[in-house]
Every structure is written in C-alpha cells, then in structure tokens.
Amino acid sequence: MKRGVAALLALAALAWALPAWTPARSEAAARAEVVALQAGTAHLVEGGKVLEGGVTIVVRDGKILAAGKDVAVPPGARVVDYGADAVIVPGLVAANSPYGVGPPSRRTADPGVLAVDNFDPFSSAYLADVAGGVTSAYLAPARGRLISGQGAVVKLAGDDLRRRVVSRSAALQGSVGAEARDVPGYWDPPVPATVEVGLGVAEPQLPRTTMGAIVALTELLEAARSGKEADAYGPGAARELARVLGTGLPWRIDAGTETEIRAILRLAQSERLPLVIDGAERAGELADEIRRAGASAIVEVDVAPNSAGRDFGKGRDDRWPVFDTAARLVRAGVPIAIATEDSVRPRDLRFAAAVASRGGLAADAALRAITLGPAEILGVADRVGSIAPGKDADFAVLNGPPLSAASSVVATWIDGEPVWEVAGSDAPGSKAARSKAIVIEVAELYVGDGEVLRPGQVLMQGGRIAEVGRRVAHPLGAVVVRGPAAMPGMIDAFGHLGLDGSSKAPPTDYKLARVVEPGDRVDRMVARAGVTTVVLTPRGTSSSGTPMMAYKPAGQDLESMVLSDPTALHLAWTHSRNRVESGKDVREVLAKAVEYEKKWKEYEAAIAKWTPPPPEPEARVESAKEEKKPEAGTPPETKDEKKDEKAKGKEKKEPEADPVTGIWEGKLALPPNESEVSLRLRMRLEGKVVTGALRCAQVSEGLVPLGGTFEEGKLALAGLGSRGFVSLSGEPKEGKLEGKLAVGSNEIELKLERTTKDLDEARRPELRREKKPEEKEPKGKPRAPGIDAKLEPLRRAMHGEGAVVVDVDRAVEILDCVKAFEEAGIKPVLYGADEAWKVADALRGRVAGVILTHQVMEVDPRKGLSELRNRFAELALAGIPVAFHSAAEEGASDLPLIAAYAVAQGMSPEGALRALTYDAAAMLAIASRVGRLARGMDGDVLLLDGPPLEPSTSVLRTWVNGEEVR
C-alpha cells in the first residue's frame, strides 16, 4: 500500500513539473467518428423537401453535419450504403405511447408528477417500436385526472442515457373528459383518531361535469397566480402549477367530444394558455375554431391492428371511426400530430398515418404528422423530427415509399448509430440474425495470404464468407457497407484474455472452454480493436504440457466462440534453473506420444485386415409378460416383505454436502413490463466462502463477479455490474434456489435450477451425448487402444490437426528441440526463440512457425547500432513463418500497434499482415476457419479507414461470424 501511494505521489510530481499540454485530436480519431449514410431517396420533411437520385447524409458525434445530393463523403468516413432503392426518413416521433404511464395521484390535480421518473431506459419492450422506425416517444405521467402531471419525450434506444431524455417536461398533461370527471373520493384519517373525532369519511372530489372541469381549472389558475392554495383539488397543486405557468409549458388536455373541445378552447383563449388538444379524432367539425384559438391537435387514428373486428353499436348516436379529421385540420391550418391509441403500439405509427390519408390527407402531410409535426407540438423540433444540419442523427431506413403498405423498415438509427437492422429476427446474435447477407465493398481488400484485390468485395451470409472477388453477388435485402479497406480479423497467437490474472497451470486434459463466458464487455472491446481470435494460453506450465484454446472473444455463444479446444499444447524445453536438464521432460512426453501413436497405427492396420464374422442367428426373446417363477425351495415373497423393501427406499436423506457449487439457470420477469430474460449463475463453495459470476444481459452489460457467504443454509452474494450494485440472497435446496435479486433499487423474485453440480465437468448442452448401451464386440475384432487425453494433443499434432508450442531460447537448444520433435513427426511452434536468427537456415521447413518475444529490434551491445536487427523481419525474410502475440489479457487490443511498429522498423507490410492472420492461423492449426478471406471461412472481417498496419489507420467496424460487434 505504501509503495502504491509513493508511486502516485511520484506521478503527481512529474505531472506538475511537465508543461501544460493538450494533445491534438488525431485525424484518424476524428475520421473514425464520421459516418456517411447513402440511399436513393431522402425525405427531409422540413418544407416538404424530397431528394431523389442518390443522397448522402453525413453524421458526426450523433449529429447531422450535411444532407444532400452533392454532399461529398469526408475522407476516411465510414460509409453505409443502403442501396438505390432505399428511402431514408427522419426517425418517427410517437406523440402518444403506453410507456411511462404511472398510477394516477389520489387527488384530482397533481402538476408535480413527472413521467420521466417512470422511464426505464433498459427495457426491452421498446425494441418492437424501434424496429418500426420509431426513435422518440412521448411518455404520459398518468391518466384519468384533471391535471395528472408533466409528460416527457425520450428516445427508445441509445447508449448515452443523458441524450435519451430529449425533454424532461414537454407538456402539462390533463383531461376534461369523462375519465377526469369520475375521480374516486379520498380519505385522510385523522391523527390521532379518537372516539370524539372518529375515523373520518371519504371526501368526494370535483369535477363531475364538463363545466365543472372548466370551473376547477379556472380556480386552480386563479389560486396559482394569486399565491393561494386550492386544497379542494390537492395539497400544493396551486403552488406547483404556479411554477409550471412560469415556464410557458403547453397544456395537453384530453377532450374527445365537441362539447369538451369547445369548452377547453374558450378557457385557453380567455386564459391565454398554449393548448394542445389530445385525442382529437372528432375535431374535424371544429377545425376553424381550433385554428382561431391558436391550438394544436393530436389525432389518435381509430385503428386496432392485431385484433378482431370491433362492434361500434347500431344506435344513431353510436360513434363509428372517422378518418378525415387529420385532413380537415391540416386544410384549416391547424398544426397536428398523428398518434396511436394507448392499446396500439407506436410501431404501427406509419400504418395509422396511411389510414389517416383515407380522408384526403396528402402523403407528405401524413409523414410530417408522424415526424416534424409531433416534434414541434412537443417542443423538441430543435433535435428531432426532420433531417437538417445540427439535428440529432435519427433515421428510419425503408425499402420503399414511407406510407406504402408494401414498405418495411430496414434499419433504425439513433444519434448516428444503428440501433436495429433487419436480420430475420429481433434477437441479436440469433442464427437468423447471422443469416443476413452483408456485402463489404472497399478500394483495397487484403485477403490475408498476401493477395490484395483493388477494388474488392466480400459477401457474408449465414455467418460465413460466401464469396470474395472484385465484384460479388448482392442478394436481395443485403446490407451494403463501403469503405477504404478491409482485411481478415487478427489473431493473438499467445494471449491470456479471460484468465483474470490467474497464473495456474491446468492439466493437459483440462478444457479451457470452461473459463470463458459469451458476451463479456472487455472481450467485445478487444474484438472491436480488430482481434477476433485469441489463442488462450495459461500463464503457468507443467512437465506434461498445458492446453491452449483458440476462441473468439466476440462470439455470441460457446458454440460460436470456441474454435478449437485444445488447439495446441504448451511445453517448456528450456529449464529455468538448470540448463543441463533442458529438454528432459519434453523428450519423455514425446517418447510416450510416439509409443501411443504406434499402438494406434498397429490397431488401424489390424482393423483394416480384419473381416467381421457372419451375424449370429437371433436368440429367442422371452415375453416380457411372463412372470419369473421362483426357484425351487424359495418361499414366495410376502406383502410385509415388500413393504419392508419400500420402506428402505424411504429412509431419511442426509443433507447435501455442497448444495451451492455448480451452474444455476433460470428466467426472470423484469419490471416494468415483466418481460422474461435468461439468467446464468456460476458458484463455487469453499468452506463458508462463495465465489461466482452472474450473466444476465438486462442486469449487467458484462459478467458480474460475485462474492459472499453460505451459512446456516442461507446464501448471500454481492457484486458490481454495469447497471449498479447487484445482490443475491436465497436458500439453495435440492437443486432449487428461490430468493431475491436486487439491482440498484429494484428487487426481483428469483427462481433458479442447478443444471450441473461439478463446474470442472460442465459441458455445453450441444456437446452432451446420451449414453448408449455398450454393444458386445464380435469375436476376434482387434481392440482399440484406450484414449489418453494427455497424449491426444501430441497425436493430433503428428497428423497436422493440432500444434505444439514449445519455450526455447538458445541456438543449441533450439536445434536439439527441433530434432527431438522431428523424430516424433511434429513440426513445433517455437516460443521466445531469442537466438532463432542464428540457426534460421537450419529451421526452414522444420518448424511450423516462431512466436518471438515482444522485442522487435535487437542490438548487439558489443557491436552497437551496426548490428541493429528487426528480429521479425529477419525470420520472415528467411522463409520462417512468424506470428504476433500480446501475452496479455485486455492488452490484446494493442496487437495491431505491435505489428505496426514492426513495419515501422523495416518489416514488410505484407509479411506483418500474414503474421497477424494466415501465418498465425496455419501454425496453430486453425487455418481452415480463420486467417483468410475465402469462401467457406468464418465471417471475421475488419473495415479500416486506411491501409492495414499504418499507425494512423483505425478499425471502423468489426464482424465476427458475419455479425457486427457493437
């Protein structure tokens, strides 16, 4: 601790001594934030302007920089081209939504209630609306009160929570309709209650009629302006209303009938209130009166998708839907917004606008009524509602005209980032999502094995590369992405990502897939930096070798994460303390492997010569119904004896020694929409101490490390997730765990089931196989040798299906090591290999490759700079494959810079690129899936803003298994 404080003080002193300096923002960093969206048509909405024949919208930092037909794409910008048939419109603005609506106050007026307090930014319920092109929505504080509070405007997606709230207070919500005239009475029991005073009675609340509602609003306004109270409508209502009046907030009042609309119009005119008539589907007859009052209208189109036909009644006074209200209001000059009713999802906003056009509303006016119209009415038009420089980059991309029934949303963007794209499934990471066709078009396509296509294109489909060439197929509905350059995902040939600082050396047969979890935030960050495959290597070594696993940090599930487990075996030739002992352990292991392989070869030769005997005739099968007769002299079993046998099976079970350790899984119903999400919990019990990790996308963005205790049958765990403090409590018993999960201030009922007890024996469900009854081997059939999991990696290496990485330093030891492996029929991968350059000619063709330490440049201290050598370049030029590695965890993201430095010091860019991709994959036996861009390979592709391995080049976008990493 003292040493750490001293280090901090030293750093502080150094910072004080240095001159003030603010680093200039690099061009590459600035370019990385620029995106250019391209489509055939764009509806800007403002002024009814439509751009056709190709349009470009340039976005930076979530804002629109420019939009037009002749807008130039900034150098290095990330270009997203949706094609000539695509249509871009502003993100739709829902003037009404079912979200955020809380219970109404006890009293008839409560202006202080804020809808934004009920906004849950992590809810998955918004996804369906985002998929419909809706980017912003109005939240009502409550319903059914004369004044129910203040509504808000929020965005339905986005990572920046501050930008998600567009307006905390967009309107004062209220009603003069029937819902506000039927408020139940309130009861405040006296304190203290006595016999003389009694318990009191429920007091009725006003208003009861439309005129009573107008009188009540008038009294509230007078009290607010005079500083008096109006306790008849609610304590503090007048005081809070006075504060709201000073802000000029519009009054959004629900008025459904002509009588209600006329009444509120007169009040608004006399009191000079900025009025918005809510639910004005019957306001067509009063269009001129509304215009003269200077009021706006929100028209809720009377449609009910996804439902059966509705019975409207047969009487003369029964109300049937009318669809010309919006058209009549627009013709009269009334600002309008088209909305859906509370029972209809905002995702059907385009459909509602199209239906409103039945009454003669022009298509451009209908589009305006679901974009700029509601934005203006809600006071947020400076940010959303139209496509114009300076506004938020919120878009809906469609594959046809905006209001056509045949058109659908292809993608939705919020604040300059795509938050939803059509993929055949709303579930990110699903197999349907991976089936989406993506075409990447670049000026330079670096295939990975030295070939460069100028220009070049890659088609990814079903998670794999379907075609590579200068021009490839563009399937219908494919997403087209353009940029300066692209290359295969990079490979960290020797990394520790996911080990969390552990220095243990697991046994040779240990499966490292047990220590990784899909969806980790740091893993995704590494992948976004361009490292799509990591050869996970434990820090410790053992005499028999430690396993190495190739996995993809950004895989969505274990099946797509694990490439090969193990892909290699890590051995140490050089003895750290006694050089005389170098190679002894490795030679012994190799000798065992050679003998093991010999047995398998003998078996394979014998089985090839063996001829199966003819099948024996089937034996008579006794009927299962025949009762087994007791042997002679055996008395029949009595009923009492049978009861005793059953009683033995009902003996009291001993309590389980470890009811905690294992993997627990279950579903959670998360508020406010009680949508079910999956939760996975890993726990290990040691004494009374419990350690573990929790995975749930709605609880935390990444894995939540947990720690706690298990005492007297009760479990208590806690940890910190990306969305706040997480605590878990409950009582595990007989494979069931019921308790509570708290995330921040929210507490949820928890029910989990243990799916496996032994963590070390955990296997992925897709790899589990049902045990089949053993079949009796025919006579004379050669018997196969037993599988030795500790020697299998070496046998696989003999067949070229795996690799062996061996630590060795000095030239003489390197030659001895290579000779020993050569005698065993294995080409090893040398790790460290400080003096490999001295024997390079003797190594060519005898090793799979070399993974050098991180010292790129080496100087002979006796000869000075005249002997300055680039070790990587030297071996590559000698024809020996080399690979780059991080020997780090999250530091794997530095791998491109390590290679870029080697290039800056004289290594060929082509050789360095091969060392990051194909050569690394080939030496580690994973080249059949990664390392190149070729048909059938995994869809791991990087989009760059310049040539690979230039220090100024950045990774713009990353795809893993054909799916973009975000």
Side-chain angles (χ1 to χ4, degrees):
M1 179 62 75
K2 290 180 180 177
R3 212 176 305 136
V5 172
L8 287 173
L9 291 173
L11 286 172
L14 179 61
W16 180 263
L18 291 173
W21 175 70
T22 303
R25 201 174 184 195
S26 69
E27 267 190 5
R31 287 199 305 267
E33 295 178 358
V34 178
V35 183
L37 277 75
Q38 295 183 335
T41 305
H43 293 255
L44 307 186
V45 176
E46 209 158 349
K49 194 170 184 181
V50 180
L51 304 178
E52 296 179 315
V55 62
T56 299
I57 304 173
V58 180
V59 175
R60 184 175 64 194
D61 292 335
K63 296 286 185 181
I64 300 171
L65 291 181
K69 295 182 63 174
D70 302 320
V71 172
V73 176
R78 171 163 57 100
V79 179
V80 182
D81 189 350
Y82 286 101
D85 295 325
V87 178
I88 297 181
V89 301
L92 308 186
V93 181
N96 187 42
S97 80
Y99 307 122
V101 181
S105 296
R106 293 173 60 242
R107 305 302 299 274
T108 192
D110 197 345
V113 175
L114 297 177
V116 73
D117 291 341
N118 293 326
F119 174 46
D120 178 10
F122 305 113
S123 172
S124 59
Y126 312 136
L127 182 60
D129 302 318
V130 172
V134 182
T135 58
S136 302
Y138 175 79
L139 309 183
R143 302 289 189 191
R145 294 295 182 265
L146 188 68
I147 298 177
S148 55
Q150 300 169 45
V153 179
V154 301
K155 296 196 179 186
L156 299 183
D159 294 330
D160 191 334
L161 298 185
R162 291 171 298 180
R163 297 185 68 166
R164 294 272 305 265
V165 179
V166 184
S167 174
R168 291 180 57 84
S169 184
L172 187 66
Q173 182 86 35
S175 174
V176 295
E179 61 177 3
R181 303 196 302 266
D182 192 23
V183 180
Y186 70 95
W187 174 52
D188 286 331
V191 179
T194 64
V195 175
E196 294 79 8
V197 176
L199 293 176
V201 295
E203 297 288 341
Q205 297 197 80
L206 299 175
R208 292 299 178 190
T209 63
T210 301
M211 187 51 64
I214 300 301
V215 170
L217 287 174
T218 304
E219 290 179 357
L220 277 166
L221 285 166
E222 289 176 356
R225 287 167 180 158
S226 64
K228 298 179 181 179
E229 285 297 337
D231 290 337
Y233 303 106
R239 183 173 62 255
E240 182 63 27
L241 184 59
R243 191 193 65 78
V244 173
L245 287 174
T247 65
L249 204 63
W251 288 55
R252 178 170 173 158
I253 304 297
D254 187 278
T257 66
E258 292 183 12
T259 301
E260 293 166 355
I261 293 172
R262 282 198 170 99
I264 195 62
L265 284 174
R266 291 194 188 100
L267 176 67
Q269 284 179 301
S270 64
E271 298 289 346
R272 297 185 180 180
L273 300 177
L275 178 64
V276 179
I277 301 174
D278 199 359
E281 60 268 21
R282 299 283 168 176
E285 297 289 341
L286 307 175
D288 291 331
E289 295 179 42
I290 296 172
R291 176 183 56 80
R292 286 194 295 270
S296 305
I298 296 174
V299 181
E300 293 182 359
V301 180
D302 196 358
V303 292
N306 294 318
S307 65
R310 297 168 292 170
D311 292 324
F312 303 114
K314 301 177 177 63
R316 292 182 178 274
D317 297 328
D318 289 326
R319 297 174 58 175
W320 285 54
V322 293
F323 301 112
D324 63 347
T325 301
R328 297 174 71 172
L329 289 170
V330 169
R331 283 197 296 268
V334 177
I336 72 161
I338 290 176
T340 55
E341 295 183 346
D342 289 347
S343 60
V344 179
R345 293 290 294 267
R347 68 162 292 142
D348 293 315
L349 203 52
R350 284 192 312 115
F351 180 76
V355 171
S357 297
R358 282 187 179 189
L361 185 66
D364 59 343
L367 180 60
R368 192 183 198 283
I370 56 175
T371 52
L372 186 57
E376 289 175 339
I377 291 173
L378 297 170
V380 293
D382 60 326
R383 287 187 57 182
V384 299
S386 63
I387 299 175
K391 289 198 172 186
D392 292 0
D394 296 357
F395 313 109
V397 185
L398 302 107
N399 57 13
L403 300 182
S404 170
S407 299
S408 60
V409 177
V410 174
T412 304
W413 289 61
I414 293 180
D415 290 333
E417 289 293 332
V419 294
W420 183 86
E421 291 182 333
V422 64
S425 170
D426 289 345
S430 67
K431 291 183 179 179
R434 293 180 213 147
S435 68
K436 175 176 60 177
I438 301 172
V439 177
I440 299 177
E441 300 179 355
V442 291
E444 294 183 328
L445 183 65
Y446 294 81
V447 175
D449 58 4
E451 184 180 7
V452 184
L453 300 178
R454 297 184 176 92
Q457 298 180 1
V458 179
L459 168 62
M460 293 185 289
Q461 203 164 20
R464 295 189 178 272
I465 296 174
E467 189 177 1
V468 176
R470 287 179 174 81
R471 296 194 177 207
V472 300
H474 286 54
L476 295 176
V479 174
V480 180
V481 181
R482 292 177 179 152
M487 64 173 282
M490 303 180 209
I491 300 169
D492 185 350
F494 195 97
H496 307 314
L497 182 64
L499 293 180
D500 292 331
S502 173
S503 59
K504 293 181 180 179
T508 307
D509 55 353
Y510 184 84
K511 294 297 182 183
L512 289 170
R514 301 167 190 164
V515 305
V516 298
E517 287 281 352
D520 185 78
R521 180 181 62 87
V522 175
D523 279 7
R524 291 200 304 272
M525 290 174 67
V526 168
R528 286 199 295 266
V531 180
T532 58
T533 300
V534 172
V535 179
L536 180 60
T537 310
R539 290 181 173 88
T541 58
S542 67
S543 58
S544 62
T546 52
M548 300 169 65
M549 174 186 71
Y551 88 104
K552 298 187 180 186
Q556 294 295 320
D557 50 55
L558 279 172
E559 182 181 12
S560 64
M561 286 183 76
V562 178
L563 274 171
S564 179
D565 185 19
T567 192
L569 190 67
H570 182 205
L571 295 164
W573 181 278
T574 299
H575 199 285
S576 60
R577 293 183 299 275
N578 186 356
R579 292 281 183 174
V580 176
E581 296 292 320
S582 291
K584 179 182 177 182
D585 292 339
V586 176
R587 290 182 192 277
E588 289 178 1
V589 170
L590 288 176
K592 292 178 182 177
V594 169
E595 186 64 28
Y596 180 63
E597 169 66 0
K598 181 182 176 182
K599 291 179 181 178
W600 274 101
K601 282 185 175 179
E602 290 173 352
Y603 165 73
E604 289 165 0
I607 203 75
K609 295 178 181 178
W610 177 69
T611 303
E616 296 180 6
E618 292 185 7
R620 178 179 173 271
V621 180
E622 293 183 2
S623 172
K625 294 183 179 179
E626 292 182 15
E627 292 185 6
K628 188 177 179 181
K629 296 181 181 179
E631 295 180 13
T634 304
E637 190 177 24
T638 65
K639 290 183 180 180
D640 290 340
E641 289 174 338
K642 290 180 179 180
K643 286 181 181 179
D644 290 341
E645 290 297 323
K646 289 181 180 179
K648 289 179 182 177
K650 292 184 178 180
E651 292 177 0
K652 188 176 180 180
K653 292 183 179 179
E654 291 292 328
E656 192 175 359
D658 183 353
V660 174
T661 298
I663 295 177
W664 301 74
E665 297 178 350
K667 299 280 187 181
L668 290 181
L670 291 180
N673 301 302
E674 303 300 324
S675 56
E676 279 200 343
V677 296
S678 298
L679 182 144
R680 190 169 186 262
L681 176 66
R682 292 170 61 95
M683 294 191 292
R684 185 183 296 278
L685 176 64
E686 295 178 356
K688 295 182 180 180
V689 177
V690 180
T691 56
L694 181 145
R695 164 75 62 203
C696 180
Q698 299 301 323
V699 171
S700 176
E701 191 177 320
L703 198 67
V704 182
L706 297 174
T709 60
F710 177 67
E711 295 183 87
E712 297 180 357
K714 294 184 179 180
L715 177 70
L717 293 173
L720 184 62
S722 64
R723 291 168 184 161
F725 191 74
V726 177
S727 63
L728 184 150
S729 61
E731 297 185 22
K733 190 181 296 183
E734 296 182 358
K736 307 287 184 183
L737 173 58
E738 295 187 8
K740 302 280 186 182
L741 177 69
V743 184
S745 59
N746 295 323
E747 193 172 75
I748 309 153
E749 294 289 338
L750 182 75
K751 289 185 180 181
L752 301 178
E753 184 172 347
R754 183 159 60 176
T755 55
T756 178
K757 292 183 179 181
D758 193 343
L759 292 177
D760 289 342
E761 296 301 323
R763 295 291 187 274
R764 288 172 280 154
E766 63 271 19
L767 297 182
R768 293 175 188 156
R769 296 180 181 176
E770 293 182 3
K771 290 185 178 179
K772 295 181 179 179
E774 293 184 6
E775 295 181 5
K776 190 176 180 181
E777 294 286 352
K779 282 186 179 180
K781 182 180 180 181
R783 179 170 295 187
I787 298 290
D788 189 332
K790 294 183 183 296
L791 297 176
E792 269 299 307
L794 290 165
R795 182 168 177 262
R796 290 178 63 236
M798 293 174 184
H799 293 266
E801 299 169 355
V804 180
V805 179
V806 55
D807 296 5
V808 61
D809 296 327
R810 296 189 303 173
V812 63
E813 291 179 344
I814 289 173
L815 292 177
D816 287 346
C817 172
V818 171
K819 183 179 178 182
F821 275 93
E822 198 169 42
E823 292 171 353
I826 298 173
K827 289 183 178 181
V829 178
L830 307 183
Y831 180 75
D834 288 342
E835 296 184 357
W837 62 277
K838 293 181 179 180
V839 291
D841 291 339
L843 298 181
R844 191 182 304 112
R846 300 173 67 195
V847 296
V850 176
I851 304 174
L852 294 166
T853 54
H854 295 97
Q855 186 178 353
V856 174
M857 305 303 295
E858 188 174 79
V859 178
D860 188 335
R862 293 170 297 179
K863 297 183 179 181
L865 292 178
S866 61
E867 286 295 316
L868 184 65
R869 296 179 299 101
N870 185 320
R871 303 194 308 147
F872 287 84
E874 202 166 44
L875 288 180
L877 288 172
I880 298 172
V882 295
F884 292 105
H885 74 293
S886 70
E889 295 188 27
E890 63 275 5
S893 59
D894 272 342
L895 200 64
L897 294 177
I898 295 171
Y901 180 74
V903 172
Q905 299 301 316
M907 188 177 186
S908 78
E910 181 180 314
L913 186 66
R914 287 178 60 102
L916 276 176
T917 53
Y918 180 71
D919 285 351
M923 69 176 69
L924 292 164
I926 51 176
S928 62
R929 289 186 57 184
V930 297
R932 287 187 306 145
L933 302 180
R935 185 191 301 272
M937 302 287 281
D938 290 0
D940 299 353
V941 185
L942 308 179
L943 184 71
L944 312 172
D945 63 2
L949 305 184
E950 284 291 328
S952 61
T953 295
S954 298
V955 176
L956 297 178
R957 301 171 76 174
T958 301
W959 286 266
V960 172
N961 294 330
E963 186 171 359
E964 186 169 5
V965 180
R966 302 190 185 280

